[in-house]
Amino acid sequence: MLLNDARSARESLRLAENASSDIEEAEALAAKRSELQELEGRIATLASRNALLREQGVLLTPVPGIDKTKQLISQISARFAESQRSDTLVDKQRWSRLISMLTEFSATAETLQKQDWKDYFSRKLFGGVPPEQRKQTILQALPENRKAFERYTYLYQRFSQYRNIVPSTAEVLREVHAFSNELASIQFVENDEVPVPVRAFFNAVSSGSGASLDFLTQEVIEWLRTNNMVSNYVVRAR
């Protein structure tokens, strides 16, 4: 793996730094090691995320140029093993080429990883509409719908934030899937599933002034009874 090669190169720099009796040379090697360590950290993070995604079945796009980058690291490591000095690293622009290639590799790998995750997110996870759009198709006056909509809104906000953010831990990845599954399980009473008199009754009830007995037709009573909602309502005199 490229990550292992980078770690090996960084360790070689550490050992050379410790062995050097020249203060300036040791400082130059330490600077090179720090620079390499930063890039190694980025690649390690990407590799860790890739492992999580792969376990979940996310298809990952191979990063181009990895073999060329590994070959350059091997060449530089071999040359440095022969002469463990900082000028060996910078000779013939070896170091600048290495840093450039590793920087480009990590940037490309991160871009591809985000694209692969977004593709998986859109194809495999919950694909429902945002709350404001969902709100337009349901009977908002129905108490059960209001309760379900509150939960839907909360879950959708938590879920959608990961559309463009790749989960970094197994716990977060499980959480995203849990949000997706629960969102898919939420049921609403749709507007077109409710007879017009029933919709009129609920709209009157939720208006603040209440519904007169004129709204409580036999059709409305039967619908309420069928949906186990008769006990949710009482009649009060003004």
Side-chain angles (χ1 to χ4, degrees):
M1 287 181 61
L2 177 60
L3 178 58
N4 292 335
D5 291 345
R7 284 173 172 166
S8 178
R10 190 251 301 162
E11 180 62 13
S12 296
L13 282 171
R14 186 189 68 81
L15 294 174
E17 174 194 343
N18 292 340
S20 177
S21 57
D22 185 328
I23 295 178
E24 290 187 2
E25 175 65 12
E27 290 178 345
L29 289 172
K32 293 289 185 291
R33 180 169 65 87
S34 178
E35 194 172 6
L36 185 59
Q37 188 170 14
E38 181 180 350
L39 285 167
E40 177 205 322
R42 294 182 196 170
I43 295 172
T45 298
L46 290 167
S48 176
R49 288 176 181 167
N50 270 355
L52 284 174
L53 297 178
R54 195 174 290 111
E55 289 177 2
Q56 192 59 45
V58 179
L59 297 178
L60 299 174
T61 305
V63 183
I66 187 170
D67 291 335
K68 187 176 180 180
T69 304
K70 289 178 64 175
Q71 183 180 19
L72 179 60
I73 294 176
S74 296
Q75 291 173 352
I76 293 176
S77 296
R79 184 69 184 90
F80 186 69
E82 298 172 0
S83 177
Q84 297 188 356
R85 295 189 57 80
S86 59
D87 54 8
T88 302
L89 297 172
V90 300
D91 186 36
K92 298 180 180 180
Q93 297 185 330
R94 291 189 183 98
W95 190 257
S96 60
R97 285 168 54 211
L98 174 63
I99 296 302
S100 177
M101 290 184 73
L102 287 176
T103 300
E104 182 179 355
F105 173 86
S106 61
T108 301
E110 184 173 11
T111 298
L112 290 175
Q113 186 182 80
K114 286 181 178 179
Q115 290 176 351
D116 293 336
W117 168 249
K118 287 176 69 175
D119 181 63
Y120 175 84
F121 192 98
S122 62
R123 291 189 302 105
K124 300 293 186 179
L125 300 181
F126 180 70
V129 298
E132 285 307 308
Q133 188 174 345
R134 191 70 181 91
K135 191 176 183 180
Q136 305 306 313
T137 66
I138 65 175
L139 183 61
Q140 300 174 37
L142 190 63
E144 284 74 6
N145 270 359
R146 289 200 297 269
K147 182 178 180 181
F149 183 73
E150 289 178 3
R151 184 62 179 168
Y152 185 93
T153 301
Y154 169 77
L155 290 170
Y156 193 90
Q157 290 173 346
R158 295 290 303 277
F159 171 71
S160 61
Q161 68 179 322
Y162 291 106
R163 188 181 306 277
N164 299 310
I165 300 177
V166 183
S168 56
T169 67
E171 181 181 1
V172 172
L173 190 57
R174 285 193 297 269
E175 186 177 57
V176 173
H177 281 87
F179 290 153
S180 175
N181 293 336
E182 187 173 351
L183 280 166
S185 70
I186 294 178
Q187 300 293 320
F188 293 102
V189 176
E190 306 290 341
N191 276 322
D192 56 10
E193 296 175 349
V194 182
V196 173
V198 178
R199 289 206 301 270
F201 170 76
F202 282 123
N203 289 333
V205 168
S206 62
S207 66
S209 57
S212 69
L213 290 178
D214 292 335
F215 287 97
L216 200 61
T217 65
Q218 188 61 37
E219 183 179 4
V220 171
I221 294 173
E222 289 301 324
W223 191 93
L224 292 173
R225 183 175 290 115
T226 300
N227 290 274
N228 298 316
M229 296 176 61
V230 172
S231 60
N232 292 354
Y233 300 92
V234 296
V235 177
R236 287 193 177 93
R238 292 181 176 177

